[in-house]
Amino acid sequence: MTGVVDLFAGAGGWDLAARELDIDPVGIELDAAAIATRHAAQLPTIRADLHGYPPRPSDGLIASPPCPAFSAAGNREGLADIGRLQRTVADPARLATEPDDGWNDSTSGLIVQTARWAHHADQWVTLEQVPAVLPVWQALAHGLKQAGWRTAWTGVLNAADYGVPQTRRRAILIAHRTRRVEPPEPTHTNPTAIKSGDLFGGDLLPWVSMADALGWAGRVGFPRRDDRGDSCDGYRERDWFPTAGPAQTVTEKARSWVLNRPATTIQCDPRVAPPGHRDRAGGERQFPDGTIRVEPWEAAALQTFPTCHPWQGTRTAQFRQIGNAIPPLLAHHILGAVQ
Ligand SMILES: C[S@@+](CC[C@H](N)C(=O)[O-])C[C@H]1O[C@@H](n2cnc3c(N)ncnc32)[C@H](O)[C@@H]1O
């Protein structure tokens, strides 16, 4: 297999961005609804279970392995595997022999698989996961450098800093075998930082608020589903949404944050939680007062998918695909770094 491969390709967040950059990845995916969406969007796809699927050579490798085991929204059982994952992926010899099973959470074996595929890439690798996985990406970067790769950058990027109307933070690895590459430069910033004069240089735009993104700004109410129109905008030139439409009742608590800041992380769920840390282990609700309910197309817009992306499956399956995806606009900036 040569060309570019997208492991755990989902509904195509990376692939839409890749297509804009004249990269044509083949996605590997298991979930039937995500595969149906990919077919409807004409994204090349291999249906396969990556557990035990032998790594193949590629020109470039993209991967967003599943994250429930490490995510604040999931069971977090994979956190107990982080130390062993670090030791495994930091050492190319150990990586080749470490069993895929015997992990606290089975998805940890998929991170090991991802690391093996990375070593088989001929030119470059871009990986994405929840922030808790950053130490594993750092260890893999060490392993790639040991194997002679020129660049292996890791860090946590905030999607809002790239114009995505959502403060989604993700651990990223960007590696190139032969070239020096830099992480993508932010295009946007927290307007609070602008006001308080924290910025060096005034070229950055303010974060896009959730209300601006959905055409809710300056309005009393929120638009209904049929306000979205039929046009299909790209994720980079979005004119966002029409602003006419009847009101949906929104609490004052929700209105105050929705108007002023990007959405919080879109999960596999119709609820968008208000900002702020919540101690879930201590019994605090994940979706307290100030939570907003959205339709799938609104969640997809907050993830910067084009309005015409042909989501398939049940409503639940659509929210799952949307919440799992990398925002195409963020993917565009990351892939731009290795082109
Ligand atoms: C975090 S999501 C990646 C989403 C994708 N990057 C996007 O932008 O839409 C992880 C994906 O891995 C898929 N997956 C989970 N286990 C898998 C396996 N064993 N083999 C192949 N795909 C798997 C899930 O169905 C899900 O779509």
Side-chain angles (χ1 to χ4, degrees), residues 126-150:
T126 58
L127 306 181
E128 178 237 358
Q129 247 281 5
V130 294
V133 174
L134 183 64
V136 182
W137 286 171
Q138 288 166 334
L140 175 57
H142 176 80
L144 290 170
K145 284 198 171 150
Q146 267 192 310
W149 285 55
R150 173 88 191 275

Side-chain angles (χ1 to χ4, degrees), residues 8-14 29-31 48-51 64-66 110 324-326:
F8 315 102
W14 283 108
E29 174 56 57
L30 188 57
D31 177 71
D49 182 347
L50 282 156
H51 268 300
S64 295
L110 294 173
N324 274 337
I326 184 169

Side-chain angles (χ1 to χ4, degrees), residues 9-277:
W14 283 108
D15 308 72
L16 294 187
R19 207 152 63 175
E20 287 260 332
L21 292 163
D22 291 328
I23 308 168
D24 201 11
V26 174
I28 305 185
E29 174 56 57
L30 188 57
D31 177 71
I35 291 170
T37 300
R38 296 180 62 80
H39 283 156
Q42 300 181 334
L43 298 171
T45 307
I46 295 171
R47 177 177 199 149
D49 182 347
L50 282 156
H51 268 300
Y53 192 101
R56 307 281 163 85
S58 64
D59 294 329
L61 180 80
I62 296 167
S64 295
C67 58
F70 307 98
S71 143
N75 63 27
R76 297 177 79 85
E77 284 177 0
L79 295 181
D81 290 330
I82 293 277
R84 182 176 155 204
L85 279 170
Q86 282 178 283
R87 291 189 293 281
T88 302
V89 304
D91 175 358
R94 179 170 174 172
L95 179 61
T97 56
E98 189 79 356
D100 281 359
D101 51 12
W103 296 91
N104 198 47
D105 189 281
S106 64
T107 52
S108 296
L110 294 173
I111 303 252
V112 174
Q113 275 288 75
T114 301
R116 292 192 183 120
W117 278 80
H119 279 275
H120 279 71
D122 193 43
Q123 295 173 29
W124 55 264
V125 174
T126 58
L127 306 181
E128 178 237 358
Q129 247 281 5
V130 294
V133 174
L134 183 64
V136 182
W137 286 171
Q138 288 166 334
L140 175 57
H142 176 80
L144 290 170
K145 284 198 171 150
Q146 267 192 310
W149 285 55
R150 173 88 191 275
T151 307
W153 177 89
T154 58
V156 172
L157 300 182
N158 185 338
D161 290 341
Y162 298 89
V164 177
Q166 186 192 158
T167 50
R168 189 184 192 88
R169 295 171 68 252
R170 286 296 182 261
I172 305 295
L173 178 147
I174 302 172
H176 203 289
R177 227 181 239 279
T178 56
R179 264 196 12 230
R180 185 172 160 73
V181 293
E182 302 289 341
E185 288 287 337
T187 52
H188 291 64
T189 191
N190 184 344
T192 318
I194 296 176
K195 275 187 204 141
S196 63
D198 286 352
L199 285 182
F200 304 97
D203 292 342
L204 299 179
L205 296 165
W207 281 351
V208 180
S209 76
M210 179 166 167
D212 277 337
L214 295 179
W216 295 348
R219 303 184 50 226
V220 177
F222 288 171
R224 283 192 317 205
R225 182 186 169 80
D226 55 4
D227 287 338
R228 69 177 152 162
D230 295 328
S231 66
C232 184
D233 52 350
Y235 59 82
R236 283 185 303 144
E237 62 279 352
R238 182 181 299 282
D239 193 16
W240 303 114
F241 292 96
T243 54
Q248 168 187 306
T249 308
V250 176
T251 64
E252 277 311 312
K253 209 158 187 176
R255 191 186 308 280
S256 64
W257 74 264
V258 161
L259 286 172
N260 294 319
R261 53 155 284 151
T264 54
T265 301
I266 299 300
Q267 302 175 19
C268 304
D269 195 289
R271 292 167 293 183
V272 184
H277 175 75

